[in-house]
């Protein structure tokens, strides 16, 4: 969370708009014929970023290490890549693009929701009688499992704490759905954002940071899920617009030294704010909206400024080509299912304690020490099973022939990259 991208300059016979930025002489402005292999919308560097973002998301939700949000702000990167694809697609009529994006998003969500709701109802959950979800209002809110316009209802505890899944599994399962809600609202807003960006680029680019300073710092408080939705839109809006700026060629016209210097200052502002507003999780930027917004914004600027626009993964990275292709083709599936699958790893790893050679204190102590590592190892085969079981829904949603394991092997390199660039970012 996917995309078709260009490397930052406009495509087609018309020159990209200058946005009032003085043109800097450099390789990107030389009138040289493009290589025959270079095709618009194919950038393995951006595919690699998306794959790294997904791995980081899984690691964060499993280990809970707050410093991972600083090391690599995955959600900001994923929203930026999605914004770039959306801007590229809006060369077509806006309504058809929005319909296409929504169509690609909803069927994978429906498959996930069908499993989650079935488990909830079989476990005895009744949204009408759930005091945490407002009775009848909880039934109405079930629509968010179908179209993620708000927060879906779920019981905070269900089942047994000692069951196959902990009794908080419903909360963990619903956790990733905020991203789909934010993505949907960004998609709907993209025609307006693109229109505004082409007229007042700097205002459009920086406005989300200003909005975050208002709604993400307590200066103005919007209660309930409406407040959460507005805050998410503000925090990651700058990254989405950065994706638009990248696609429009805006970032390529800013001297690199200026872009990186300003991005570093914005990131420093984010860390300074975070240092004085840490919660129970310390440096976890997910709980510090302004810190997250500034750090993600600057981080994405630097990533996109140094974007090498690879047509192939270079050197040693090429060994990861199939996994990068697979993760891009199944980004929505991986993101939707990973939290539930992480919870399933714990009872599986616990089975190791019952092995005959685990009777000694030394063996048990070794497993205790490496427990989190084993859960990380076990999580990926489970994610692989989810790809096999539900990933094909993404192909159906995109009106492609269903594929069980789309790592590019069967279609060759061209086909693998093509599949990775024509899907939404999640």
């Amino acid at each position: 969370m996917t995309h078709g991208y260009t490397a930052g300059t406009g495509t087609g016979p018309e020159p990209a708009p200058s946005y009032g930025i003085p043109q800097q002489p450099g390789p990107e402005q030389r009138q040289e014929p493009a290589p025959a292999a270079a095709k618009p919308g194919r950038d393995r560097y951006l595919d690699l970023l998306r794959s790294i973002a997904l791995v980081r998301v899984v690691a964060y939700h499993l280990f809970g290490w707050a410093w991972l949000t600083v090391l690599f702000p995955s959600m900001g990167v994923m929203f930026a890549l999605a914004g770039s694809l959306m801007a590229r697609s809006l060369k077509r009529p806006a309504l058809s693009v929005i319909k296409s994006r929504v169509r690609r998003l909803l069927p994978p969500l429906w498959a996930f929701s069908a499993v989650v709701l079935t488990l909830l109802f079989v476990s005895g959950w009744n949204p009408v009688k759930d005091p945490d979800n407002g009775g009848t209002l909880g039934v109405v809110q079930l629509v968010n499992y179908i179209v993620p316009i708000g927060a879906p209802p779920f019981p905070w505890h269900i089942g047994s704490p000692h069951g196959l899944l902990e009794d908080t599994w419903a909360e963990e399962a619903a956790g990733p759905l905020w991203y789909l809600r934010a993505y949907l609202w960004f998609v709907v807003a993209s025609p307006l954002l693109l229109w505004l960006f082409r007229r007042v680029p700097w205002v459009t680019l920086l406005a989300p940071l200003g909005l975050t300073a208002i709604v993400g710092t307590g200066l103005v408080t919007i209660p309930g899920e409406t407040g959460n939705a507005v805050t998410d839109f503000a925090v990651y809006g700058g990254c989405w617009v950065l994706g638009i700026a990248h696609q429009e060629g805006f970032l390529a016209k800013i001297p690199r030294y200026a872009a990186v210097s300003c991005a570093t200052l914005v990131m420093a502002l984010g860390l300074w704010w975070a240092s004085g507003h840490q919660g129970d999780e310390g440096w976890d930027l997910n709980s510090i909206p302004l810190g997250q917004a500034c750090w993600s914004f600057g981080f994405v600027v630097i990533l996109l400024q140094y974007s090498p626009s690879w047509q192939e993964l270079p050197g040693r990275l090429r060994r990861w080509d199939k996994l990068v292709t697979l993760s891009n083709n199944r980004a929505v599936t991986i993101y939707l299912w990973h939290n539930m699958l992480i919870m399933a790893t714990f009872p599986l790893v616990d089975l190791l304690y019952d092995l005959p050679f685990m009777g000694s204190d030394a063996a048990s102590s070794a497993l205790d020490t490496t427990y989190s590592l084993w859960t990380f190892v076990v999580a990926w085969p489970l994610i692989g099973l989810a790809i096999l079981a539900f990933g094909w829904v993404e192909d159906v949603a995109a009106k492609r022939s269903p594929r069980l394991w789309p790592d590019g092997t069967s279609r060759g390199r061209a086909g693998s990259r093509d599949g990775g660039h024509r899907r939404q970012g999640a």
Side-chain angles (χ1 to χ4, degrees):
M1 32 32 257
T2 304
H3 303 299
Y5 307 94
T6 57
T9 57
T11 58
E14 297 182 1
S18 66
Y19 297 103
I21 302 173
Q23 297 297 296
Q24 301 293 321
E28 69 274 8
Q29 294 173 313
R30 298 170 187 161
Q31 300 300 317
E32 298 178 355
K39 299 180 181 179
R42 297 169 64 152
D43 193 327
R44 295 298 275 169
Y45 171 71
L46 300 181
D47 276 350
L48 178 63
L49 289 182
R50 189 177 306 107
S51 298
I52 293 172
L54 286 169
V55 173
R56 206 285 282 156
V57 166
V58 174
Y60 168 78
H61 285 152
L62 198 154
F63 297 114
W65 294 333
W67 55 266
L68 286 174
T69 64
V70 178
L71 178 67
F72 195 89
S74 288
M75 306 317 300
V77 171
M78 290 166 69
F79 278 118
L81 302 184
S84 182
L85 172 63
M86 193 65 189
R88 178 180 185 270
S89 298
L90 282 172
K91 296 174 183 178
R92 308 195 308 271
L95 184 59
S96 67
V97 174
I98 292 174
K99 290 171 61 177
S100 174
R101 292 293 172 271
V102 173
R103 187 193 69 239
R104 291 175 177 228
L105 180 69
L106 294 185
L109 171 63
W110 295 341
F112 175 78
S113 297
V115 173
V116 170
L117 288 175
T118 298
L119 291 175
L120 287 175
F121 294 147
V122 168
S123 299
W125 180 57
N126 186 342
V128 176
K129 298 180 180 179
D130 188 339
D132 295 326
N133 293 293
T136 304
L137 180 59
V139 177
V140 175
Q141 290 175 336
L142 288 175
V143 72
N144 290 303
Y145 283 102
I146 302 173
V147 181
I149 57 176
F154 55 86
W156 293 102
H157 297 276
I158 190 167
S160 169
H162 306 292
L164 180 61
L165 296 176
E166 293 183 10
D167 61 348
T168 59
W169 70 266
E171 178 187 2
E172 297 296 332
L177 298 186
W178 75 268
Y179 174 83
L180 275 67
R181 175 186 65 192
Y183 176 86
L184 180 61
W185 285 115
F186 278 129
V187 165
V188 172
S190 284
L192 175 60
L193 291 174
L194 180 59
W195 182 85
L196 289 171
F197 180 81
R198 287 173 172 171
R199 283 153 181 80
V200 283
W202 286 109
V203 173
T204 309
L205 194 59
L206 299 176
L209 293 180
L211 180 60
T212 305
I214 295 172
V215 302
T217 62
L219 186 63
V220 173
T221 302
I222 303 175
E225 282 301 323
T226 300
N228 291 336
V230 172
T231 300
D232 291 339
F233 193 91
V235 168
Y236 297 106
C239 294
W240 188 278
V241 179
L242 277 173
I244 293 175
H246 176 68
Q247 182 63 42
E248 289 285 287
F250 180 83
L251 295 181
K253 294 175 176 61
I254 302 175
R256 179 173 290 174
Y257 73 88
V260 173
S261 298
C262 291
T264 302
L265 289 175
V266 173
M267 295 168 72
L269 172 63
L271 290 185
W272 170 78
W273 178 265
S275 67
H277 296 82
Q278 297 180 32
D280 295 337
E281 302 300 325
W283 282 92
D284 192 331
L285 296 182
N286 289 323
S287 59
I288 312 172
L290 185 58
Q292 177 74 282
C294 291
W295 182 259
S296 297
F297 186 93
F299 200 97
V300 167
V301 167
I302 294 173
L303 286 179
L304 295 182
Q305 271 288 338
Y306 283 89
S307 174
S309 189
W310 293 326
Q311 304 303 309
E312 303 279 349
L313 291 177
R316 295 181 179 180
L317 291 176
R318 196 165 299 154
R319 70 183 67 177
W320 303 100
D321 186 82
K322 291 181 180 179
L323 289 178
V324 169
T325 299
L326 177 67
S327 62
N328 276 267
N329 277 313
R330 293 295 180 258
V332 176
T333 300
I334 294 170
Y335 189 80
L336 276 173
W337 289 92
H338 78 275
N339 249 16
M340 279 192 67
L341 298 176
I342 284 174
M343 296 201 73
T345 63
F346 299 120
L348 291 177
V349 174
D350 286 345
L351 294 176
L352 296 177
Y353 287 103
D354 297 329
L355 295 175
F357 58 83
M358 294 297 296
S360 67
D361 292 340
S364 295
S365 177
L367 182 55
D368 291 340
T369 303
T370 59
Y371 189 92
S372 294
L373 177 62
W374 283 110
T375 56
F376 186 75
V377 170
V378 172
W380 291 106
L382 294 182
I383 289 173
L385 290 176
I387 289 174
L388 291 172
F390 303 104
W392 57 270
V393 178
E394 293 194 53
D395 292 326
V396 173
K399 296 185 176 180
R400 293 191 296 255
S401 298
R403 298 166 291 172
L404 289 179
W405 198 258
D407 62 356
T409 302
S410 60
R411 297 190 179 188
R413 288 191 179 273
S416 72
R417 292 193 301 272
D418 179 74
H421 284 292
R422 282 169 171 77
R423 43 178 317 283
Q424 76 282 358

